Amino acid sequence: MNNSLKVVDERTATSYDIPIRDGAIRAMDLRQVKETPDDFGLLTYDPAFLNTASCRSSITYIDGDKGILRYRGYPIEQLAEHCTFLEVAYLLIHGELPTQEQMNEWFYDVSHHTMLHETTKKFLEGFRHDAHPMGMLVSTVAALSTVYPEARDIHDPANRKHQILRLIGKMPTIAAYTYRHSVGFPYVYPDNELGYTENFMNMLWKMVEPKYMANPTIARALDILFILHADHEQNCSTNVMRSVGSSHADPFLSTAAAAAALSGPLHGGANEEVLRMLDVIGSKANVPAYIEKVKAGNFKLMGFGHRVYKNYDPRARIIKWAADQLFQVTGGNAKLDIALELERIALSDEYFIKRKLYPNVDFYSGLMYQAMGFKPEMFTVLFAIPRTAGWLAQWQELVEDPEQKIARPRQIYTGYDARDFVPMTQREITAKVKVKVEH
Ligand code: ACO
């Protein structure tokens, strides 16, 4: 059997053999398909990348139909059960789980990059008291680019490693400072004797006690959430990380851009929206009426559906288990009953079954974050901390991939053909520009 695709161009009655490799054809192989010799050649049109692979990657594997997620080959369930987040971050960046010695060195290196420059702290102080923490995080990560201009040298592996340590180390510090700023508490400096997640909790919640002691159940629950959010192959924000990185922007600016993409309600911002939705629903009794409105197309059920998963998101399953453990310490979340009822009805309703809509990672994570004491505004920031490890692993893979170039899609132009300039005195208002801004 020939491993190729035979394409016949009916316009010219020409046939082409397009090689198939790894279940894909190269879009560039279609460029030879021309109607006339000076024709540009055939393009593929794929808005929102529904069927386009943008890279080769050995980091994360997802089988959306079977509900499988693996980092570097390891099932997410096993990593969540046996590893710490920092161990998983090492795995994502280096490709293998660390030995004890490698882990000690990794922990030492990351924890020695947790401090922020005092000018960065001052920069954070400049935000309004009610600034959204995600906006603060995005801006501050971008501002780090000004503190570490040497990060621009992305082709030096040692330099790249240095910036990776800085970003993984500083992300919790920035995140904690956005929270302390919003409640008007003084910033807490990192404590390098504490683990990655415990130190984050220290920077969030330490008050006047001389040494912060994290509740181990809460710390473990947060660490598991970090593991589950660490990478998810070519999602919206990772695609932004790669796209911005492909222009050779420095990793701080690329990470800031990725975090901006994460903030949207269709992506990482969904966890915040789920909580708002549960507030709007108010009680279990109101769930059926709410589902009817979703089915009528009034709005989406937040925390449901996924571009890749057409089965139960494996992360949502682990979160449900971790939530049980957490709620034994923190007490349950009153909204859990509403969420469970939403899930029960949605999973048995024809509308959701037909479209293969299942709860995604964001459906239950917010309930856990809230039980830990976080405000909904902080939820996406909590997502961005661990995802930084995934973004950086993907960025490193991009930089080292000889096949990659600046990401630059084509378009199908739908605008005017050439037309002559019209002086202002002769212009007319067209329907398109009639929108008026009220002052
Ligand atoms: N509630 C109700 N209907 C939905 C939902 C939902 N949450 N999600 C998809 N649908 C419907 C669509 O309306 C569409 O119906 P139609 O065929 O009748 O038009 C069908 O299911 C297919 O949906 P698409 O929009 O084509 O799916 P897509 O892959 O483009 O979108 C997305 C995926 C953005 C996640 C979508 O499911 C959604 O908006 N979910 C809610 C937001 C959310 O939870 N985002 C978090 C995703 S996980 C993450 O990023 C970490």
Side-chain angles (χ1 to χ4, degrees):
M1 192 184 66
N2 230 351
N3 213 10
S4 68
L5 177 75
K6 192 172 276 305
V7 177
V8 179
D9 185 349
E10 300 280 8
R11 299 171 302 178
T12 57
T14 314
S15 92
Y16 303 85
D17 283 316
I18 312 285
I20 299 175
R21 193 177 156 210
D22 300 324
I25 60 163
R26 282 185 177 266
M28 274 304 283
D29 284 345
L30 296 175
R31 192 66 80 73
Q32 59 183 308
V33 181
K34 297 182 178 197
E35 200 173 4
T36 57
D38 58 351
D39 181 357
F40 182 75
L42 205 62
L43 288 176
T44 55
Y45 177 59
D46 189 11
F49 308 119
L50 290 169
N51 197 37
T52 295
S54 63
C55 61
R56 294 180 173 278
S57 181
S58 61
I59 301 170
T60 292
Y61 173 80
I62 300 175
D63 183 327
D65 291 327
K66 296 195 183 121
I68 292 173
L69 170 61
R70 297 181 199 133
Y71 297 159
R72 302 282 190 188
Y74 294 105
I76 190 68
E77 294 80 4
Q78 292 182 21
L79 295 173
E81 187 180 346
H82 300 293
C83 291
T84 61
F85 163 70
L86 213 51
E87 217 177 330
V88 169
Y90 183 99
L91 171 71
L92 290 169
I93 301 284
H94 298 89
E96 296 295 339
L97 284 166
T99 61
Q100 188 61 57
E101 202 181 320
Q102 288 168 327
M103 187 62 208
N104 294 347
E105 195 186 328
W106 175 241
F107 175 69
Y108 180 91
D109 287 347
V110 170
S111 56
H112 281 73
H113 285 289
T114 47
M115 291 277 285
L116 290 183
H117 197 279
E118 284 299 296
T119 55
T120 308
K121 216 179 86 179
K122 288 206 183 88
F123 177 85
L124 274 154
E125 280 163 14
F127 285 99
R128 282 174 57 124
H129 70 282
D130 57 354
H132 194 288
M134 208 45 199
M136 292 174 73
L137 179 107
V138 168
S139 321
T140 310
V141 173
L144 290 183
S145 157
T146 66
V147 184
Y148 307 109
E150 71 276 17
R152 250 177 264 170
D153 184 8
I154 62 157
H155 297 294
D156 172 12
N159 188 26
R160 277 206 304 270
K161 185 177 173 199
H162 199 169
Q163 313 317 323
I164 288 173
L165 290 170
R166 279 181 170 147
L167 269 158
I168 294 177
K170 290 180 203 316
M171 217 59 181
T173 317
I174 298 171
Y177 282 15
T178 68
Y179 167 71
R180 300 287 290 201
H181 181 80
S182 71
V183 287
F185 290 159
Y187 301 138
V188 176
Y189 285 94
D191 180 343
N192 285 356
E193 283 180 3
L194 300 175
Y196 188 81
T197 307
E198 288 83 353
N199 176 45
F200 176 47
M201 292 166 70
N202 160 64
M203 293 187 287
L204 285 166
W205 294 318
K206 184 171 186 287
M207 296 306 280
V208 292
E209 65 273 38
K211 178 100 184 160
Y212 180 81
M213 301 294 282
N215 177 305
T217 307
I218 298 179
R220 181 64 191 142
L222 194 52
D223 210 54
I224 289 175
L225 286 169
F226 280 179
I227 292 171
L228 301 183
H229 287 88
D231 195 51
H232 212 230
E233 54 121 299
Q234 305 313 312
N235 55 83
C236 177
S237 54
T238 301
N239 181 55
V240 169
M241 181 82 190
R242 280 180 172 266
S243 193
V244 176
S246 78
S247 76
H248 296 173
D250 77 47
F252 296 102
L253 294 171
S254 301
T255 303
L262 187 74
S263 73
L266 298 188
H267 190 16
N271 51 16
E272 188 178 333
E273 297 304 321
V274 170
L275 259 280
R276 299 200 192 290
M277 176 184 78
L278 296 177
D279 278 339
V280 168
I281 297 173
S283 79
K284 211 171 140 178
N286 296 335
V287 170
Y290 194 84
I291 295 262
E292 285 312 311
K293 286 187 191 155
V294 170
K295 284 161 61 181
N298 293 5
F299 32 71
K300 282 188 171 165
L301 192 55
M302 298 313 285
F304 259 70
H306 200 275
R307 171 61 60 78
V308 180
Y309 291 122
K310 301 301 169 198
N311 197 327
Y312 213 95
D313 183 336
R315 301 168 300 174
R317 210 185 298 278
I318 301 169
I319 285 183
K320 266 178 103 172
W321 170 84
D324 278 347
Q325 316 293 309
L326 176 74
F327 293 160
Q328 284 174 24
V329 174
T330 59
N333 188 319
K335 298 185 187 84
L336 181 63
D337 279 351
I338 306 173
L340 288 170
E341 182 67 357
L342 263 180
E343 179 184 324
R344 189 187 68 76
I345 297 184
L347 292 185
S348 56
D349 190 293
E350 187 53 26
Y351 175 96
F352 295 87
I353 295 170
K354 209 173 99 195
R355 291 171 178 77
K356 298 188 176 171
L357 299 170
Y358 291 86
N360 59 49
V361 68
D362 289 323
F363 191 64
Y364 287 107
S365 62
L367 292 172
M368 287 182 74
Y369 293 141
Q370 197 169 53
M372 290 172 188
F374 290 105
K375 296 185 293 184
E377 292 80 17
M378 279 299 288
F379 293 176
T380 315
V381 167
L382 297 168
F383 190 155
I385 296 171
R387 183 53 62 86
T388 299
W391 289 330
L392 290 166
Q394 301 269 353
W395 169 73
Q396 188 168 249
E397 195 176 62
L398 163 98
V399 174
E400 290 172 354
D401 183 347
E403 259 200 318
Q404 288 293 343
K405 288 167 174 280
I406 187 164
R408 205 313 188 172
R410 294 279 173 177
Q411 65 168 11
I412 296 171
Y413 178 69
T414 60
Y416 290 105
D417 209 343
R419 53 180 179 162
D420 286 326
F421 174 79
V422 181
M424 197 178 277
T425 50
Q426 294 168 29
R427 290 177 209 160
E428 286 171 4
I429 297 176
T430 62
K432 251 188 187 171
V433 291
K434 264 190 176 152
V435 180
K436 201 161 179 262
V437 179
E438 299 296 339
H439 294 286

